[in-house]
Amino acid sequence: AGSTVIICGRNSGKLEKAEKAIPGITAIRCDVGIAEQREKLAAEVLSRFPDLDILINNAGVQRYIDLKKGIKEVRSGENEVEINFTAPVELTSLLISHFLTRPSAAVINVSSGLGFMPMPIYNATKAALHTYSLVLRQQLKGTSVKVVEIVPPMVDTDLNKEGRNRAKMKYRGISIAEYIPSVIEGLENDSEIIFHGDAQDILTQPRGESEKKLLEPQW
């Protein structure tokens, strides 16, 4: 839509592929799960792109964790708390002073419909991101910075692909091609929270009722 777009990620091959596929895009290799790299990313982007006015916090990892197995299980893979929650909070904090100088700016947090379901630990990080988005929106009220929360359903991506394979999941969610237009429509309509499908029904139920249904599923 005529915007200058900067993307970041850990996989150099995917970043190079994106740069070739989308003319004008800028790719920066960065692991947002590492504090030093978050700080370096923010400094580089502000230096190279002083007109920056939107941050999209979309990085995320998901693992199946058995909390009965203790600390070794929690530490056995990537740090979901650091990547899914700490990174968005700190990246936003690193850029917020700049955004407040812009005539119009936005922080877009990608949470998940799973954030309203009581399962570890991915869901807990997305619940935290949802609450953080509410607090951030409240504190930025009356400023030039808008806060948008995108709440995806299950989408067929590489997220926890190995875990989904081990669980022999037949349904992997809707396709990216099906999902993205609904997000764009929500952004164009200036929505503060963007759902897809029946995810919004979760928020319309009393919290206790929705949690009971999820803890005692009928499927």
Side-chain angles (χ1 to χ4, degrees):
S3 297
T4 298
V5 178
I6 307 104
I7 63 172
C8 73
R10 300 178 296 185
N11 189 312
S12 298
K14 287 185 176 181
L15 293 175
E16 291 173 4
K17 185 178 179 181
E19 284 187 306
K20 291 178 180 178
I22 308 171
I25 203 170
T26 297
I28 301 175
R29 190 178 184 281
C30 172
D31 184 344
V32 297
I34 300 173
E36 293 79 6
Q37 292 195 33
R38 293 193 289 264
E39 294 171 6
K40 182 179 178 182
L41 173 67
E44 180 178 351
V45 170
L46 289 176
S47 174
R48 293 174 59 185
F49 304 95
D51 292 333
L52 182 76
D53 55 9
I54 296 176
L55 168 66
I56 303 176
N57 287 309
N58 184 53
V61 294
Q62 182 187 73
R63 298 191 292 136
Y64 291 143
I65 295 177
D66 185 349
L67 297 178
K68 299 189 301 294
K69 294 182 179 179
I71 191 65
K72 285 187 178 180
E73 172 80 353
V74 173
R75 293 177 178 173
S76 63
E78 293 182 297
N79 190 325
E80 289 173 288
V81 175
E82 189 74 18
I83 295 171
N84 298 358
F85 183 62
T86 305
V89 172
E90 291 203 355
L91 278 171
T92 302
S93 299
L94 286 164
L95 297 173
I96 198 65
S97 295
H98 168 77
F99 283 163
L100 287 168
T101 68
R102 304 293 299 161
S104 177
V107 175
I108 302 176
N109 292 326
V110 181
S111 61
S112 172
L114 291 176
F116 306 99
M117 300 182 182
M119 301 176 188
I121 279 179
Y122 174 85
N123 302 37
T125 63
K126 292 301 185 178
L129 188 59
H130 168 67
T131 301
Y132 168 71
S133 299
L134 294 175
V135 174
L136 185 65
R137 184 180 296 123
Q138 176 62 28
Q139 293 197 0
L140 289 171
K141 190 175 182 178
T143 74
S144 61
V145 185
K146 181 171 183 174
V147 178
V148 178
E149 181 183 359
I150 298 175
V151 187
M154 182 183 288
V155 182
D156 189 6
T157 69
D158 288 338
L159 184 70
N160 197 21
K161 192 172 185 179
E162 292 182 3
R164 294 182 184 189
N165 289 338
R166 286 196 303 272
K168 298 181 179 180
M169 292 177 60
K170 294 181 179 180
Y171 179 68
R172 302 298 179 96
I174 64 175
S175 70
I176 296 174
E178 179 185 353
Y179 177 58
I180 291 301
S182 67
V183 176
I184 300 301
E185 181 181 2
L187 293 172
E188 290 176 341
N189 290 335
D190 209 27
S191 302
E192 287 188 339
I193 184 163
I194 301 172
F195 292 96
H196 182 98
D198 60 0
Q200 192 167 5
D201 293 341
I202 298 172
L203 284 185
T204 64
Q205 297 178 1
R207 185 75 181 198
E209 180 182 335
S210 62
E211 288 185 356
K212 182 178 179 181
K213 287 181 179 178
L214 293 163
L215 288 168
E216 300 174 2
Q218 300 301 312
W219 60 80

